[in-house]
Amino acid sequence: MLDHTLKSDVTARRLEVITETGRRRWFSKDDRARIVEETLVPGAVVSEIARRHGLPPQQVFTWRRQARRLPTPKADDPPFVPAVVGAMVPAVTVGHERKIAQRKAKQE
């Protein structure tokens, strides 16, 4: 008979069993932001933080990249900024008026 016991003089303090259930874990935007914020602390190691939350490091790096790309709108920012355009004079008219002024100056 096989003996499947671990014979060691060192006692395991933590045993982590990783199982593949095929289920996806969903994190809220607040949870993602909190995890990403942990990685921004000077000296933080992304792999350790990801492991602590049961995530692959690639996922945390993806969230960090997405956080850098998305602008964070402020509550009092308007959803758009109106553009005000002054009356523009077509360039052809300006050139034409200049030629007329030059002709009048020559005639006088």
Side-chain angles (χ1 to χ4, degrees):
M1 183 167 170
L2 294 172
D3 184 12
H4 294 291
T5 59
L6 178 63
K7 295 180 182 175
S8 174
D9 53 353
V10 178
T11 306
R13 294 183 184 174
R14 179 178 175 191
L15 177 64
E16 186 173 333
V17 179
I18 301 173
T19 61
E20 183 61 41
T21 61
R23 293 175 54 197
R24 290 180 179 247
R25 292 178 56 189
W26 296 97
F27 292 85
S28 69
K29 289 182 181 181
D30 292 336
D31 291 337
R32 291 178 188 185
R34 206 171 306 115
I35 293 169
V36 168
E37 189 176 7
E38 285 181 43
T39 65
L40 301 177
V41 175
V45 179
V46 175
S47 298
E48 290 176 1
I49 294 168
R51 203 174 305 122
R52 188 168 3 122
H53 292 283
L55 292 164
Q58 296 88 341
Q59 183 66 61
V60 178
F61 280 113
T62 299
W63 290 348
R64 284 171 48 126
R65 190 171 50 252
Q66 289 171 346
R68 280 193 302 265
R69 268 190 275 155
L70 297 176
T72 54
K74 296 178 182 168
D76 51 341
D77 282 350
F80 65 92
V81 178
V84 179
V85 179
M88 295 177 56
V89 179
V92 175
T93 306
V94 172
H96 181 68
E97 290 174 354
R98 189 173 3 157
K99 288 180 183 177
I100 293 174
Q102 289 173 351
R103 283 185 196 155
K104 287 182 180 179
K106 287 181 184 178
Q107 291 174 358
E108 293 175 358

